[in-house]
Amino acid sequence: DQQVKQNSPSLSVQEGRISILNCDYTNSMFDYFLWYKKYPAEGPTFLISISSIKDKNEDGRFTVFLNKSAKHLSLHIVPSQPGDSAVYFCAASDLNTGNQFYFGTGTSLTVIP
Amino acid sequence: DTAVSQTPKYLVTQMGNDKSIKCEQNLGHDTMYWYKQDSKKFLKIMFSYNNKELIINETVPNRFSPKSPDKAHLNLHINSLELGDSAVYFCASSQGTGGSPLHFGNGTRLTVT
């Protein structure tokens, strides 16, 4: 049972435009969410997180939005750069059960120069 | 100075063999994990160790056994390898047991022939 889903396996965006990556979850107990970026042959690298007490968190060009009622989060990258081309994973956890994270299957982002 | 390092990067072996993957972190984290990424790119937790105690043990075959000689190391031993064990295995670490992101190694691609 996949509790975290990323329904878009791939996304292409022009350089300078906004990239929006989406993630849905089914477990209403999840209260901590993260986004990871992964290049080929490397491990996932932490990008940005958000807890359920907030609906937005921003770090430079990266902003994560959380809609708890819809059980949906999104990652916005503005402006997109060619170096952003990678696979992006979202992950979720229930802090009451420790640091056990459930991952989506990833979205491959290609930023076209 | 790699934060989370795992060896080997590639491992090709035959069915029935026993193999080990090593992981070390120099971040001073007190929790370490093993994740498996299957052919569908699904990242799923296998084990985690906190202060040398197993705190998460998902339903993985008992042919897989984590060994933690100290809090900076979490090795993965696999007995009687099967074709279905072919995957990329990621080691990760985090500080604490809730609300902190995972730091991943670069993965070990295991191929069982």
Side-chain angles (χ1 to χ4, degrees):
Chain A
D1 62 334
Q2 204 170 329
Q3 300 189 51
V4 178
K5 298 179 182 179
Q6 294 174 255
N7 292 319
S8 298
S10 62
L11 174 69
S12 290
V13 172
Q14 287 290 135
E15 180 179 4
R17 306 294 291 269
I18 184 171
S19 295
I20 300 176
L21 298 103
N22 294 303
C23 179
D24 297 293
Y25 60 96
T26 57
N27 189 339
S28 58
M29 299 302 293
F30 286 153
D31 52 8
Y32 183 55
F33 306 87
L34 305 95
W35 282 95
Y36 280 83
K37 175 180 181 179
K38 184 183 180 303
Y39 292 118
E42 294 184 10
T45 303
F46 169 69
L47 261 182
I48 192 169
S49 64
I50 189 168
S51 72
S52 59
I53 62 172
K54 300 175 72 173
D55 54 18
K56 176 183 174 181
N57 189 25
E58 195 171 349
D59 184 1
R61 297 185 297 112
F62 302 90
T63 302
V64 56
F65 295 91
L66 175 63
N67 183 332
K68 291 184 289 292
S69 60
K71 297 191 184 69
H72 177 83
L73 65 156
S74 60
L75 175 69
H76 292 210
I77 307 173
V78 170
S80 301
Q81 300 173 355
D84 296 330
S85 297
V87 177
Y88 290 79
F89 291 93
C90 67
S93 76
D94 172 2
L95 292 178
N96 291 319
T97 62
N99 231 27
Q100 181 177 1
F101 286 95
Y102 294 87
F103 282 79
T105 50
T107 297
S108 178
L109 173 66
T110 302
V111 179
I112 304 164
Chain B
D1 48 341
T2 306
V4 180
S5 60
Q6 52 183 110
T7 55
K9 189 168 179 65
Y10 299 97
L11 183 55
V12 181
T13 188
Q14 291 184 326
M15 287 176 56
N17 285 348
D18 303 336
K19 290 293 178 185
S20 295
I21 306 173
K22 294 185 177 181
C23 180
E24 175 182 5
Q25 56 96 3
N26 62 6
L27 297 167
H29 288 166
D30 55 14
T31 308
M32 295 184 71
Y33 311 79
W34 278 104
Y35 275 80
K36 176 181 179 180
Q37 186 179 34
D38 60 23
S39 57
K40 296 182 179 179
K41 307 301 181 187
F42 189 37
L43 262 171
K44 186 171 182 179
I45 189 167
M46 300 178 71
F47 303 102
S48 75
Y49 257 76
N50 175 269
N51 291 325
K52 300 179 72 172
E53 289 186 79
L54 181 67
I55 59 171
I56 300 175
N57 187 347
E58 292 293 313
T59 53
V60 299
N62 57 14
R63 298 181 295 102
F64 291 79
S65 56
K67 297 280 194 308
S68 181
D70 54 61
K71 78 170 193 177
H73 296 83
L74 183 65
N75 303 323
L76 182 65
H77 298 272
I78 316 170
N79 296 324
S80 302
L81 278 156
E82 300 177 357
L83 292 176
D85 298 332
S86 296
V88 181
Y89 293 84
F90 288 99
C91 176
S93 70
S94 72
Q95 185 59 39
T97 55
S100 58
L102 306 176
H103 295 255
F104 284 88
N106 283 333
T108 296
R109 181 174 293 277
L110 171 65
T111 303
V112 183
T113 62

